[in-house]
Amino acid sequence: MRSLRVVTAAAVVAAMAGCAAQGSATRNSGAAPASNPSATSAPSPEPDLPDPDERIPKDPAKLAAALKKTTGALADAIDGWDKKKAPPRDVQLLALYHQRIYRFAARNPAIAAKAFARLPRRLAAEAQDNTRAIRELLALAHPVKSASVIRTRDARPAAELLRYFKQAERRFGVEWEVLAAVMFAETKFGRVRSASHVGAQGPMQFMPATWKAYGMGGDIQDHRDAIMAAANYLRATGAPRDYRRALHAYNPSQAYVNAIQLHARQIKRDPVNYYVYYNWQVYVITVKGERRVTGPSER
C-alpha cells in the first residue's frame, strides 16, 4: 500500500527539510505588542535572545559555541513553558536560531564536521542525526512556484498532541516517538492545511482511499483521528516489528524512512527534543529560493 503521501517535503523544509510531495507552511506568529500607557515607549529589549535573522557563524569554532549555547538555553526555556499553551517568544526565538544553525550545517558539511568535532559527545551525536535528517529530506524537495499557495493553521498545543500520540501507542503498539516524527515531517504538527499535489490530506497526509481503509470512520482533518489512523496503518504494514518496512509503506523513500528514524531516535534519547521539533519553523522552497513562512518576526 503506497497511497500515503507526504505533503511537506516538496516545498517545505521546516524543522528539518520537508519530505516528498508539495510544500507546507505555517502562520507567521510574531508576538503581540505589549500594552503600555506610554505610546512613545520603545519595546522591551530581549537580552540574550537571538533575532529572527541572527547571523549564523561560518567559523567552525564559533558555530560549535553557538550551537552549544543555544541548545542549552532552548532546553531551559522549554522547561519553563506551559505546554498546554502556545510557546512563548523566548522558546520561539531560540528554537528558530537552533533550527537555522542546523539548516546551515546541512548545507555546509565541511564546516559542520569541524564544528561538531568540538562538541561534547552527546551533543555531537545529536547534531549529526539532525543534520543528516535535514539532508535526507532536502534531497526530496521539489520547488514550488510560490509559497502563497500553501494554506496553514495554528498547531494544536504540544501537550494535546503528545496525549494523542501516547493514546495511539497504547492502542496500536506503535511508538509515540515515531508517530511524532511522522507528523513533524508530514505537516509540521498539523500546521499545513493544504492537500499535497497528489491529493493527500489532513495532519498525517492520507490519500482518501487509504483513509477509507484505515481511518476507522474518523475525520481526516481531525488531529486525534489522523494520529490514530497513522498508527493503525503503520501497525498493519509492519510496525512495531519492522519500522523501516512500515515507514516505507507510508512514504516509499529510503531518505524519508531514514529521516523519520533519526528524529524519532532523538526524541527517545531526550523527550525535550519533541518540544524542540514542535517549535522548528516551516520553510518553503520555491523556484526563486526558500522562504520562511512561520514563526517569530522582528519586534
Side-chain angles (χ1 to χ4, degrees), residues 40-292:
T40 59
S41 297
S44 301
E46 296 176 319
D48 301 324
L49 291 178
D51 292 332
D53 296 315
E54 187 82 14
R55 177 181 169 275
I56 305 296
K58 294 180 172 58
D59 174 76
K62 292 180 179 179
L63 183 66
L67 179 57
K68 183 177 178 181
K69 178 181 177 181
T70 304
T71 301
L74 177 56
D76 290 343
I78 286 172
D79 188 54
W81 161 37
D82 181 352
K83 314 304 188 298
K84 295 178 182 179
K85 300 180 180 179
R89 188 166 171 82
D90 62 342
V91 171
Q92 292 184 48
L93 287 170
L94 288 164
L96 177 58
Y97 192 52
H98 185 257
Q99 176 190 7
R100 290 178 60 237
I101 289 173
Y102 276 124
R103 290 172 58 75
F104 172 82
R107 288 184 167 88
N108 297 273
I111 296 175
K114 293 178 181 177
F116 296 168
R118 297 171 178 268
L119 296 173
R121 179 176 298 180
R122 183 181 179 87
L123 181 54
E126 179 178 302
Q128 289 163 359
D129 278 2
N130 280 332
T131 304
R132 182 185 169 197
I134 292 172
R135 288 177 186 148
E136 294 279 24
L137 292 169
L138 279 173
L140 298 176
H142 301 285
V144 296
K145 290 184 178 179
S146 171
S148 64
V149 300
I150 307 302
R151 295 181 296 114
T152 64
R153 59 186 167 192
D154 292 349
R156 300 300 304 167
E160 177 185 328
L161 295 179
L162 180 58
R163 184 169 74 251
Y164 299 157
F165 293 138
K166 291 189 174 182
Q167 288 174 354
E169 180 181 50
R170 288 193 294 272
R171 180 169 178 180
F172 293 102
V174 178
E175 294 170 342
W176 77 263
E177 297 92 342
V178 172
L179 294 169
V182 169
M183 194 179 200
F184 170 54
E186 295 288 350
T187 61
K188 300 305 170 281
F189 295 105
R191 291 178 173 93
V192 178
R193 295 180 61 194
S194 303
S196 76
H197 75 290
V198 295
Q201 302 174 29
M204 299 297 272
Q205 289 293 276
F206 276 90
M207 292 295 290
T210 312
W211 181 263
K212 185 175 181 179
Y214 295 95
M216 300 174 290
D219 180 353
I220 199 170
Q221 296 294 341
D222 182 83
H223 292 70
R224 183 182 182 277
D225 290 353
I227 290 168
M228 287 292 178
N232 184 24
Y233 182 84
L234 289 170
R235 176 63 182 264
T237 53
R241 183 184 66 260
D242 188 344
Y243 278 108
R244 292 196 67 83
R245 177 176 179 271
L247 289 168
H248 193 269
Y250 206 97
N251 189 318
S253 161
Q254 291 302 327
Y256 176 84
V257 172
N258 292 341
I260 297 300
Q261 292 198 305
L262 287 165
H263 284 303
R265 181 164 72 184
Q266 286 308 313
I267 299 172
K268 290 177 187 177
R269 284 179 175 174
D270 188 346
V272 167
N273 285 320
Y274 163 66
Y275 300 109
V276 171
Y277 294 148
Y278 177 89
N279 283 283
W280 277 12
Q281 301 301 330
V282 176
Y283 284 80
V284 175
I285 298 179
T286 76
V287 293
K288 295 182 179 179
E290 71 179 33
R291 175 186 167 201
R292 178 168 68 88

